[in-house]
Amino acid sequence: MLTTRNGRLQKTTMRQYVYAWSRPCAIGADCPVGKEPKTCEAAQTNDDAYKCPESVSPHPIRRGYITHLRANGVPTEDVISKRCDANPDTIERWYDMSTKAERREARRAFVEDL
């Protein structure tokens, strides 16, 4: 959970932050589309960051988090309990890209680390 001095972040605020922080210019990288941050509309405010063709939505971050957990052998039930808000079938179908043998090894390593 992310909080501020005023309480929990709203979904729209988190979305704005993800768009803003995922722009290359926000992290000091050159703009891949050749724009200057001083004149680029998407670089002026967090509200306009979604206009940057290089920024990403929150979903790839969520997908990456779930995929990372699954690749490290975290059982589906534990992934769901970590507030991923996805049903087990969705996680198994779309987020676990490993083979059966890789899943077996990941589960073994996960259990051994407990």
Side-chain angles (χ1 to χ4, degrees), residues 21-69:
W21 294 337
S22 64
R23 294 173 297 174
C25 65
I27 59 169
D30 291 333
C31 179
V33 294
K35 294 188 177 184
E36 289 294 323
K38 291 181 182 178
T39 58
C40 178
E41 181 183 7
Q44 301 310 306
T45 67
N46 285 351
D47 290 341
D48 292 325
Y50 73 93
K51 296 175 183 176
C52 175
E54 298 297 315
S55 65
V56 296
S57 71
H59 189 260
I61 294 169
R62 177 179 182 268
R63 185 176 58 234
Y65 175 68
I66 293 172
T67 301
H68 172 77
L69 292 175

Side-chain angles (χ1 to χ4, degrees), residues 70 76-77 80 85-95:
R70 295 297 297 139
T76 301
E77 297 77 26
I80 294 168
D85 193 26
N87 69 47
D89 293 335
T90 301
I91 288 175
E92 295 292 331
R93 182 172 181 190
W94 298 105
Y95 295 100

Side-chain angles (χ1 to χ4, degrees), residues 77-88:
E77 297 77 26
D78 290 346
V79 171
I80 294 168
S81 70
K82 293 185 183 332
R83 302 216 178 258
C84 289
D85 193 26
N87 69 47

